[in-house]
Amino acid sequence: MVAELAKFGAVGGAGVLVNMAAYNLVRHFTSLAYVRASVIATVISIVFNYIGFRYFTYRDRDKSGRKRELGLFAFFSAIGLVIENGVLYAGTYGLGFDTPLQTNVVKFCGIGVATLFRFWSYRSWVFRALPPKDQEAVREVTAAVHEAEAALAQRNPYGSAHRAPQPSPVVAHHTPERGHQNQGRHRKPRRVHVD
């Protein structure tokens, strides 16, 4: 978690610089209103952040569903955009913070609030963690056990749940009668239980 937070913070910090620089450039060179200029700057920083998160912060995460990942990233980034610029709108038009310095401060606060949401959503939904190696090992061993049980069940016609019938532990011992060994007459068999 510490390493992840550090990487997320590095990319996010660079994204904040991109966002704030783009915002001030758009405001300086165009006549767009505060919130519209901020939306353009936020979109630019979202593209920058995706590249940084995918290839730096979460480069070891699952890459199998890239279309799904992009769709979820766009969805949660749009929610973050609304949060960030909603704070700017409330501060600028609701509280009257409309000087260049004040709008920059309010926008920075909006970025902070939106970043908390982005961190949670990106790590939980967008950049999914790969299964730990020990879980993969457990799955492999379980599959091998099932294969072995299936092979044994095929060899045993009585099924894996039933044991083949065992011979009775009772053995008949025939002891010839005394004095009649040569006449072929024998006593009745004596049953002896063998443990």
Side-chain angles (χ1 to χ4, degrees):
M1 179 63 76
V2 173
E4 182 181 346
L5 280 172
K7 291 179 180 180
F8 188 92
V11 174
V16 169
L17 294 178
V18 170
N19 195 334
M20 297 299 294
Y23 170 71
N24 284 283
L25 286 173
V26 172
R27 284 287 302 152
H28 182 74
F29 290 105
T30 69
S31 59
L32 291 174
Y34 298 115
V35 176
R36 291 181 183 178
S38 178
V39 168
I40 293 172
T42 303
V43 171
I44 294 172
S45 69
I46 285 171
V47 175
F48 174 85
N49 285 343
Y50 178 77
I51 296 171
F53 290 143
R54 166 38 69 201
Y55 297 103
F56 178 66
T57 305
Y58 299 112
R59 66 184 176 207
D60 58 339
R61 297 295 178 94
D62 187 10
K63 301 180 181 68
S64 58
R66 188 57 61 89
K67 289 183 179 179
R68 174 187 175 278
E69 177 183 287
L70 282 169
L72 288 173
F73 184 84
F75 174 74
F76 288 114
S77 295
I79 297 175
L81 183 148
V82 171
I83 294 172
E84 175 184 330
N85 292 287
V87 172
L88 177 63
Y89 182 88
T92 302
Y93 299 105
L95 301 176
F97 298 143
D98 54 1
T99 67
L101 177 61
Q102 288 174 335
T103 57
N104 275 279
V105 172
V106 174
K107 179 171 174 60
F108 186 80
C109 293
I111 291 173
V113 175
T115 297
L116 296 175
F117 169 78
R118 288 178 181 133
F119 178 73
W120 168 80
S121 61
Y122 291 166
R123 77 184 305 269
S124 301
W125 298 96
V126 181
F127 303 106
R128 297 178 300 172
L130 289 170
K133 291 183 179 179
D134 56 347
Q135 291 185 10
E136 288 293 326
V138 168
R139 290 192 187 100
E140 291 175 5
V141 170
T142 303
V145 169
H146 288 313
E147 289 177 8
E149 288 178 346
L152 289 174
Q154 288 178 354
R155 289 185 181 181
N156 184 0
Y158 297 96
S160 58
H162 302 285
R163 297 177 61 186
Q166 301 294 322
S168 173
V170 178
V171 179
H173 291 275
H174 298 275
T175 306
E177 291 184 4
R178 292 179 183 174
H180 298 283
Q181 290 89 347
N182 298 328
Q183 297 178 9
R185 293 172 56 188
H186 297 83
R187 282 184 171 180
K188 292 183 179 179
R190 192 164 47 126
R191 299 176 69 82
V192 178
H193 290 275
V194 178
D195 293 330

